[in-house]
Amino acid sequence: MIYQGTNLHVDFIEPGIAEVTFDAPGSVNKFDEKTLNEFSDALDTLAGNTDLKGVLVRSAKSTFIVGADITEFLTLFADLEKTKTWVRKASRVFDKLEDLPVPSIAAVNGFALGGGCEAILACDYRIADETAVIGLPEVKLGLIPGFGGTVRLPRVIGPDNALEAITTGMNHKPEKALAVGLVDAVTSSDRLKEGALAMLRDAIAGDLDWQAKRQPKLEALKANDTEKLMSFSTAKGMVWAKAGKHYPSPHAAVEVVERGAGEAREQALNIENELFVKLTQTDAARAQVGIFLADQVVKSKSKKSAKSATKQIKRAGVLGAGIMGGGIAYQSASRGVPVVMKDIRRDALDLGLNEAAKILGKALERGKISQKVVAKTLTSITPTLNNSELADVDIIVEAVVENPKIKASVLAEVEKVVAKDAIITSNTSTISIDKLAESLEDPSRFCGMHFFNPVHKMPLVEIIRGKHTSDETIAAVTAYALQMGKTAIVVNDCPGFLVNRVLFPYFAGFSKLLDDGVDFTGIDKVMEKEFGWPMGPAYLCDVVGLDTADHATNVMAEGFPTRMARDDNGAIAQLAAAERYGQKNGKGFYEYSVDKRGRPQKVVNPKVYEIIGAKEASAEKDEIIARCMIPMVNEMVRCLEEGIVGSAEEADIALIYGIGFPPFRGGAFRYLETLGLQKFVELADKYADLGEIYQVTDGLREKAKTGGTYFKS
């Protein structure tokens, strides 16, 4: 054995050829601090071995290396000097691999992401099997590659391909990786090691010129001034169009490649180090790293719950077709769980089937699925007008009209049809699960399963636990949500549950601004362009449906009469009464149509002001943001304090995945902590006279005073 570490080992596998094998305890390899140190020591040992003729780098696991250990990031980034030292030292470890006095090759299987990709770029040759997925996704964490990826990738695959890969975080599967030159060969899994050894032997024998292959990575980028100008100008334009001003990392990615293009490796790496460190100190990076960590918390919790399930969902039933029911049926069927879709009207069933067919048709058009998959999915959905077809399903998802009496009646009826151990859920967005459970003989097998529209695009499912819901029911429904490819967050019952409960105070803050005469178009502009929401509150109301939003205010007012009292004279109520329902009937705050090219457009019709009154007052952007966001954050804090949601991490993921909370802000709690708890309290106190939704809880005030945090790590 040449070198033995905890996470990797090195040994000769034939005379002169050493194999570096990554094999960390656990399911995956990653570049945590310990692994980087071991890698550095192993490379030092190899560099001094006089018998060495070539090096093979591989993984003993089903995946190569998934990247750096992101769990170390937030603690590390809090210390600027430590971050500077760490990234400089870590990036030079990969230089050691590149500078070995013998040829090297990486045998890539599974994920080679981030640091894993940077490790294979430091090798002279790369061969991949059919399972390989290679990429530099750091931009999704608000960062850029920090181990030499911005230096080596442009010199391996050219600046255009490299800039696209780095600024988008896109992955390369084997065929694409081969086409752009990211790998030198692709083979089958059973021939990966032998294929790598064959190439390595050719390099050792001189049949492959490994030194010529390595040299461009050590020098300035080989491209003339015109090529560079075109590459970087195009990249800047594309990045600005996609990322805008709120995401600094894609812009930094272009800058680092451009500045490093005229430099040899050492100086180019210094530039990468400089910009990487700069990004670690941004709010966007902390937020996006926070999202990744929060997502891991949520997934871990869901998988643990699903693992405990004793009931397997093999066949599902959806009550109520239409667009929502059709979307749920599609999602289940497309993930291998056949569905019986039941309604009382044939036209509703047709609408549900058409919704599923439409989703599949678009995927087929884009080449994402085959005609065979389309046929299999559609034949997995059985439309019916008869309850008897539901007798053998394992789970029911009720998705009928949002009316408590109708839902209660439908649920009571279906309970008599399904098996005694079948689980029953309701896709309600606001109605109390405990109230609906009163209609059932066995409420222990009942819970909420709240999907978000459009179902096939929105990743979140809220699973709502009632006071009688059993743990087994929650476990089985969580497992089903994961089967459907969704992120499941379990919350306790209350009006609006979690996402809608915190959304309506946001709408209330928006309504108060309207009451003060501020124009909704200006509010939308600030909340979209400055705060970063995909839709401003007026636009979002139109998408939700003003009739739906108006109806939900009754539910919220009943649950929280002092904090969320209904405003009969508010703009939402007035527009709903005037039958301006939003996108669903083409008119709400805005009016919706298509232009001459068939593209959707929204415009303001001055007639809307005849209904909601003139809006001629002005407000500064900071005031608009504060008056909309303080109520949402306050309500989320209350939800955590009341135990509606289990953690700040789950709360943040729910808002990001459920209603598109700006990822660069990281969710309500990350936004609160980035702003600073004490500063938030002072800001909220400034508007406290506007009502209870602006008044912070005693718990938040105390946490601000003591310098506490809502995050567990």
Side-chain angles (χ1 to χ4, degrees):
M1 186 70 67
I2 299 173
Y3 178 86
Q4 179 67 59
T6 304
N7 299 324
L8 62 92
H9 59 269
V10 185
D11 204 0
F12 281 116
I13 53 173
E14 61 181 68
I17 296 182
E19 181 180 63
V20 179
T21 306
F22 286 88
D23 191 12
S27 59
V28 297
N29 297 313
K30 55 188 174 182
F31 277 125
D32 55 16
E33 190 172 7
K34 183 177 180 62
T35 303
L36 279 167
N37 287 336
E38 288 186 3
F39 193 31
S40 180
D41 291 344
L43 291 169
D44 287 342
T45 303
L46 282 171
N49 191 303
T50 56
D51 296 325
L52 189 68
K53 294 179 181 177
V55 173
L56 167 65
V57 181
R58 60 178 290 271
S59 165
K61 300 185 181 301
S62 60
T63 197
F64 189 73
I65 299 170
V66 296
D69 185 357
I70 297 164
T71 61
E72 297 177 344
F73 278 10
L74 290 182
T75 303
L76 173 68
F77 296 167
D79 187 329
L80 179 59
E81 291 307 314
K82 188 176 179 182
T83 301
K84 287 179 181 177
T85 302
W86 171 81
V87 73
R88 178 171 178 80
K89 179 182 175 185
S91 60
R92 268 59 183 184
V93 172
F94 295 78
D95 289 358
K96 292 182 181 182
L97 173 58
E98 192 165 57
D99 291 341
L100 286 172
V102 297
S104 59
I105 188 167
V108 187
N109 63 309
F111 291 109
L113 302 176
C117 176
E118 289 170 296
I120 70 172
L121 286 170
C123 292
D124 299 316
Y125 297 96
R126 292 159 291 283
I127 182 172
D129 72 12
E130 71 276 7
T131 69
V133 179
I134 306 170
L136 295 171
E138 287 85 353
V139 69
K140 296 175 183 178
L141 298 174
L143 301 168
I144 56 172
F147 299 156
T150 69
V151 179
R152 294 185 177 96
L153 190 62
R155 289 156 176 79
V156 170
I157 67 173
D160 290 341
N161 288 327
L163 285 166
E164 182 185 15
I166 297 169
T167 60
T168 63
M170 66 185 284
N171 291 332
H172 292 72
K173 290 187 176 179
E175 296 76 15
K176 185 169 184 181
L178 183 63
V180 298
L182 183 50
V183 298
D184 300 288
V186 173
T187 188
S188 58
S189 299
D190 59 336
R191 294 186 55 80
L192 180 62
K193 184 173 178 178
E194 185 51 45
L197 284 171
M199 288 183 71
L200 190 57
R201 292 183 195 114
D202 284 347
I204 293 168
D207 296 331
L208 293 175
D209 191 346
W210 60 273
Q211 289 166 316
K213 191 91 160 45
R214 178 185 297 182
Q215 193 59 32
K217 294 188 290 173
L218 309 179
E219 300 173 348
L221 186 64
K222 291 189 183 304
N224 63 46
D225 290 343
T226 303
E227 289 172 327
K228 290 184 206 173
L229 180 64
M230 289 294 293
S231 293
F232 299 129
S233 297
T234 302
K236 287 172 186 175
M238 291 178 67
V239 165
W240 184 257
K242 288 195 74 172
K245 66 180 181 179
H246 295 300
Y247 294 88
S249 57
H251 301 283
V254 180
E255 181 185 346
V256 72
V257 176
E258 182 176 25
R259 284 177 55 191
E263 307 290 346
R265 186 184 69 185
E266 179 62 21
Q267 184 54 33
L269 272 174
N270 287 338
I271 295 167
E272 180 185 90
N273 292 169
E274 172 200 332
L275 288 175
F276 180 90
V277 170
K278 184 178 178 182
L279 286 170
T280 67
Q281 304 306 299
T282 63
D283 292 339
R286 291 191 184 97
Q288 289 173 265
V289 170
I291 291 171
F292 177 89
L293 298 175
D295 186 61
Q296 297 303 300
V297 169
V298 170
K299 284 177 178 171
S300 175
K301 197 169 183 177
S302 296
K303 286 177 183 176
K304 185 177 180 181
S305 175
K307 213 171 184 181
S308 69
T310 56
K311 181 173 182 59
Q312 189 178 356
I313 307 300
K314 297 178 182 177
R315 186 173 172 84
V318 175
L319 298 180
I323 291 175
M324 178 59 83
I328 296 169
Y330 158 79
Q331 193 65 32
S332 183
S334 69
R335 294 294 179 134
V337 182
V339 179
V340 177
M341 184 170 62
K342 193 263 175 184
D343 206 289
I344 58 173
R345 298 185 351 257
R346 173 60 62 185
D347 61 335
L349 289 173
D350 291 341
L351 185 60
L353 284 171
N354 287 339
E355 178 66 13
K358 186 171 72 175
I359 297 166
L360 288 162
K362 287 182 178 176
L364 182 64
E365 265 179 45
R366 293 171 184 161
K368 292 186 174 180
I369 58 173
S370 66
Q371 189 65 56
K372 186 177 178 181
V373 171
V374 173
K376 184 179 178 183
T377 304
L378 288 176
T379 55
S380 295
I381 302 173
T382 304
T384 184
L385 298 171
N386 303 311
N387 275 339
S388 59
E389 295 274 2
L390 300 166
D392 64 346
V393 302
D394 300 300
I395 190 169
I396 288 288
V397 181
E398 170 273 305
V400 303
V401 63
E402 190 77 352
N403 180 300
K405 290 182 180 177
I406 294 174
K407 282 185 180 288
S409 173
V410 167
L411 290 167
E413 184 182 352
V414 80
E415 186 182 29
K416 294 179 174 63
V417 177
V418 298
K420 293 294 183 185
D421 67 340
I423 291 165
I424 302 172
T425 73
S426 176
N427 176 49
T428 175
S429 55
T430 55
I431 301 168
S432 167
I433 293 302
D434 288 331
K435 186 175 180 179
L436 290 175
E438 293 171 5
S439 65
L440 298 173
E441 292 179 12
D442 181 10
S444 71
R445 60 168 167 165
F446 176 66
C447 69
M449 195 176 189
H450 179 206
F451 292 85
F452 292 77
N453 202 21
V455 176
H456 67 290
K457 288 186 177 178
M458 301 302 286
L460 180 69
V461 172
E462 275 183 309
I463 298 173
I464 304 102
R465 182 194 291 272
K467 62 185 176 184
H468 298 298
T469 307
S470 70
D471 289 342
E472 164 52 27
T473 295
I474 293 296
V477 175
T478 300
Y480 179 48
L482 296 184
Q483 277 179 274
M484 295 174 83
K486 297 299 181 184
T487 296
I489 293 179
V490 179
V491 300
N492 286 317
D493 189 32
C494 71
F497 318 129
L498 178 66
V499 174
N500 282 335
R501 176 172 162 180
V502 302
L503 181 60
F504 278 87
Y506 171 75
F507 284 156
F510 161 63
S511 295
K512 285 179 183 291
L513 280 165
L514 293 179
D515 291 344
D516 288 347
V518 182
D519 186 29
F520 65 87
T521 61
I523 298 170
D524 272 6
K525 185 177 180 181
V526 168
M527 298 310 293
E528 290 170 6
K529 303 296 185 186
E530 300 299 329
F531 192 80
W533 282 102
M535 291 176 277
Y539 188 13
L540 182 58
C541 281
D542 279 357
V543 171
V544 168
L546 287 159
D547 53 337
T548 303
D550 185 47
H551 166 75
T553 58
N554 291 318
V555 177
M556 305 309 291
E558 186 179 337
F560 309 103
T562 61
R563 194 161 65 250
M564 300 188 204
R566 177 180 167 80
D567 181 5
D568 289 319
N569 296 315
I572 293 172
Q574 289 177 322
L575 291 171
E579 297 185 353
R580 295 181 69 94
Y581 298 148
Q583 276 191 337
K584 66 178 69 175
N585 72 343
K587 54 185 180 179
F589 280 101
Y590 300 93
E591 294 192 2
Y592 300 86
S593 60
V594 293
D595 63 17
K596 292 178 181 178
R597 296 183 181 179
R599 295 175 301 190
Q601 61 179 1
K602 68 178 182 19
V603 296
V604 178
N605 187 326
K607 288 184 179 179
V608 74
Y609 298 108
E610 295 174 11
I611 301 170
I612 66 174
K615 305 298 175 187
E616 297 172 348
S618 61
E620 295 295 322
K621 66 178 182 180
D622 288 345
E623 180 182 0
I624 290 172
I625 291 170
R627 288 183 60 176
C628 288
M629 292 308 303
I630 289 169
M632 175 178 275
V633 174
N634 275 340
E635 201 62 35
M636 188 59 93
V637 169
R638 290 187 180 95
C639 285
L640 184 62
E641 290 181 352
E642 294 170 15
I644 301 302
V645 65
S647 66
E649 288 85 354
E650 289 166 279
D652 280 354
I653 291 295
L655 286 190
I656 290 164
Y657 290 175
I659 53 174
F661 196 99
F664 70 91
R665 296 195 186 275
F669 280 107
R670 187 65 62 184
Y671 168 62
L672 169 60
E673 298 217 353
T674 298
L675 195 62
L677 270 59
Q678 188 57 47
K679 185 176 178 182
F680 179 84
V681 169
E682 292 167 3
L683 189 62
D685 286 347
K686 179 181 171 184
Y687 296 103
D689 61 325
L690 292 177
E692 194 178 339
I693 57 174
Y694 289 93
Q695 294 162 11
V696 302
T697 68
D698 291 340
L700 171 52
R701 198 175 293 278
E702 181 61 27
K703 202 174 280 286
K705 192 183 297 182
T706 59
T709 176
Y710 284 101
F711 293 99
K712 294 173 183 176
S713 58

